[in-house]
Amino acid sequence: MNKGLDYLFGITAGDRDGDAPGVISLARQWAAKEVIGNRLDYQRNYAALFEDKARVLALNMGLQRLAIPVDQGGFGWHGPDHAADIAAVLSEVGRADSSTGVILALNYVLFSVLTRFSEGRPRLVEAVATSYLEDELKIASCILPGPGSAGEETPLFKGRSILARVKAHENGFVISGADLRPFAAGLKADLFLVVCADERGRPCIAVVPGDAPGIERGRGLLTTGLSVLANADISFVETEIKQENLIQGPEAVPLLFTLLNLFLGGVSLGAGMNFFEILLDWSDSRIICGSTPLKENPLCASVLADAAEEIACSRLLLDGLARLVSPCRSVQPLDTEGLYTYAVMIGARVQQSIMRAINRGMELMGSAGYAKEWHAEKHWRDVKTIQSLLCGMGAEAPAKMDTARFFCDCKEI
Amino acid sequence: MDHFDEFSRPLEYLSPMDRHLRSVLRRFIEQEVMPVRRQYDEDWKEHALIEPAFDRLMGELGLQKALFPQEYGGWGIAGSDYIFRFAYLLCEELGRADTGMAVALAVTFWPLLVIHLEPYVNKRLIAEFAPLFCGTNKAMFAANAMTEPQGGSDIENMGLLKGRTIRTTARLEGDEWVINGHKLWPTNSGGVARLFGVPCTTRPGSSDIDDFAFIFVPADAKGVTQGGPYEKSGMAADKNGDIWFDDVRVPVWYRAHGPGRDAEAFYQLIPFGQVASIAFLTGAMMNMYERLYEFVSTRTYRNRPLKENPAVAGIIGRIAGDIDICRILGHEAAMMGDRRNTPYGLPLISEELVGKIRNIKDFVSDRAVENLGKVMDVLGCYGPDRDWDIEKHWRDIKIIQLWMGGKQLCQMESARYFFNCETL
Ligand SMILES: Cc1cc2nc3c(=O)[nH]c(=O)nc-3n(C[C@H](O)[C@H](O)[C@H](O)COP(=O)(O)OP(=O)(O)OC[C@H]3O[C@@H](n4cnc5c(N)ncnc54)[C@H](O)[C@@H]3O)c2cc1C
C-alpha cells in the first residue's frame, strides 16, 4: 500500500489536538511492533500471546489508565470531549486485534459512565480507579438488555428485556438474574456493568465487582470471534452491592448504549482498515488470467472500490457520532434520546458497512481469505461477533424501532 | 409450515432413490453427526471424531461405491440418468448437518466422474480403481487437485484460458507419464485421499486444449509429498493442504481419455461441483431455518415472541422465502445436469449450461452468505455462540462462495453466455 491509512481514510485526523496525536501514534506503534509485524507468530500462539501483548499496551504503555480521572492518577480521557480521540485510539488497536480493542473499549465505557454519574459516589470511582491502576490487566464487561423468554413478562428497555432485577437491601441493593449473557469475558471479567430493572421496572446500571459473593459463572462458550475473551453466562444469586454502585436515572442506560456504539464502532473500523491493508497487498501482487494484476481487472477493481467506500463512509459516520457525543463540538446539541438514537443508528450502520467491506474483500482473496494464516478471516469473525453482540437480537429491527420512535413519534411500536 | 422438508422442490424431479436414501442419511446424521458436530472445529487436525463418522458414511453405508458399476460392487449411479439429482439430495442432506463432511464425500466423486460419465467412460480405469473404493468398509477418499499456488480460478476458466496457466507438467517417457508440479487446497488433501485426479499440461503455456491432460495419481506413488492440513475458518471435516509432485511416474493409461477429450471430460466437473455447492448451501440454510424457528418462537422482543413482531417477521419471512427459492433453483440446476443426454438437454460442457449453473450457484451463495449473517444478528448475543449452530454454518459456507473460481468468475461466465461477450 503506497498511500497509507491516514491519507486514505484519515481525513478528519487534523482536528485532533493536545495529547491525542501522541497517544494515537503510541497505539499505532504497539499495533505495528507487537502484533501486525509478527502476525503469523501472533496467530499461531494467540492464546498465549494475546494477554502478553494486551498487557504491554494496557500497562506498559498505560492505555488502561487513559480514561481514569486525573485526580485518581489517570489520564483523564473520560469526558465527552475525548470521545473522538478514544474512538481513534481504539481503531488503532482494532487494526491489530479486536479482542484487545474490546477490552479497552469496555474499560473506557466504564470510566466514562462512572465519571458522568460520579456525583454522590466518590468512593466508587476511587475504588474502581485504584484497582485499574494496579499492575494487572483489568477487564470490565457489561450485561445488556436483550431477548426475553416467551411466556415471561419482563421490564423493558426500549422493547428489549431486562433480565436482571435489583432491589433495596439493608444499606445497599441485591441483584438477581439467571443465565445472563455478557457482552464478552464472562469468565474473566473483574467487574460487570449490569443493566437491571429496579423495583418499579425502571432501567438502571449496577456496577458489580467480579468477586462479589453470589456470582456464578457458567461454562466457557465457544464463539465465532473474540474467543480469547472467554465468554460465559453469568447468574447473580442475591448478589449484594453497595448503594453507590447503582446508577439510576433515565440517562444512564442510553449513555451506556451510546458509548458502546461509538467505541466498538472504532474497534470494528480499525479491523476493517487492517483488512483493507491485507486486501490491498493481495490485490497488488495477485495475478489472474496469466498476466493481469487482480486490481487492474475492472470487476475486481469495483469490488475493491466497494470495500474502500464502506470503510471510508464508516469513518465519516463515526467521526460525526463522536462530534455529537462531544456537545461543544457539535453544531446542535442533542438530548439523551436524540443522542441515543443517532448512536444506535450509526453504530448499526458502521458494523454493517465494515462487515460488507470484509465480506466483499474476501471474495477477491479466494482461499487465502479463508485461511487462518492470512488473518483476514480473523477480522471477519471478530467484527461479525461485535456486530451480533451489539445489535442484541432481532437483527436491525429493534434499532429501526428506536429510530422510528425518535423521528416519527411512533407510540405503539 | 410444519417441517423444513416442506421447502419447495419440484417433486417430479426427484430421483427414484430420494425417499429411501434421504431417510437413511437422516438417521445417520441424527446419530453420528448432530450430537458431535459442535466439536468438529477443534478436531480439524486429528479428525478423531470426524473419521469414525466418515467410516460409517462412506465405508459402511457404502456411499464411496455409488458411482461404480454394479459389476464391481458399486451402485451404478454414474450410469443412471439421475446422478446430479442423486448428488443434490446427498449433498443437501449432509450439508444440513455439516457442509465440510458433505464436501469431502462429494469431492471423492469428482475426479471419478471424469472416467464415469457418458460419453467419457474409461472402463479400464474404472476397473483399476473400483477395488480401492468398493472393496473396503473403511472410508476411502479421492481428491481433484486443480488449484495451484499462482491461482485456482484460471484453471477453472477453461472457456477463456484453456489450461494456458497450468504449471503442473506431464511428460511422456516410454509408457509412463512423469508429473511435476505443486497443487494446493484440494479437498481431501492434507493426507486424506488415496487417489488424486491431477489436471496438468503437456506443453506449458499452451492454449490448445489438446495439451491439457487429466491424469490419475495414487497418493502413495513415489515422488508425491503432502503437507499437513491448513487451519481454516471453518469446514473442519474437509482437510486441505499442499501436494508436491516430484518426477512422479504413473502408467500411460492413467491419463483419463487423451488429447482434447481430457479437457472436455474435466470441464464436466464444473457444473457438477456447482450443483453440489448449491446443495450444500440449501442444506445448511434449511438447518439455519430450524434453529432460527426455535429462537424466534421462544425468545421475545417487547415480551412477545420475536416472530410475532412485524418488523422481525419482515426479516425472517424474507429469509425463509429465499430458502424456498434457492431450493427450487437448486433442483432446476441438478435437473439441467441430468437432462444432458436427452434431446432437449444441453451437454455438460456447453457454455449455456455452464453459464446458467454458475449463475444459480452465484445467486444461492450470495443468499446464503447474507442470510446466515442476518440470522446471526437475529440471534444477537446468541448469534456467535456455537451452541446455536448458526455461526458454524456462517463460517463454513463462506468458502462455498469463494471456491471453484470464486464469485467473479461466476459473474464472468454468466455474462459471457447471456451477453455473448467475446473478450472476457
Ligand atoms: C475448503 C476448500 C475446499 C477446496 N477444494 C478444492 C478442490 O477440491 N480442488 C481444488 O483444486 N481446489 C480446491 N479449493 C481451492 C479453491 O477452489 C480456489 O481457492 C478457488 O478456486 C480460488 O482460487 P484462488 O484462491 O487461487 O484465487 P484466484 O484464482 O487467485 O482468484 C482471486 C480472485 O480473482 C477473481 N478472478 C479470477 N479470474 C477472474 C476473471 N477472469 N475475471 C474476474 N475475476 C477473476 C476470482 O473470482 C477471485 O475473486 C478449495 C479451497 C477451500 C478453502
Side-chain angles (χ1 to χ4, degrees), chain A residues 240-260:
Chain A
E240 291 183 30
I241 56 167
K242 294 181 187 149
Q243 188 161 27
E244 61 177 3
N245 283 35
L246 191 70
I247 303 172
Q248 290 168 299
E251 291 185 357
V253 181
L255 178 71
L256 178 63
F257 271 93
T258 300
L259 294 171
L260 282 171

Side-chain angles (χ1 to χ4, degrees), chain B residues 14 34 333 422:
Chain B
L14 301 190
M34 290 303 200
E422 286 171 8

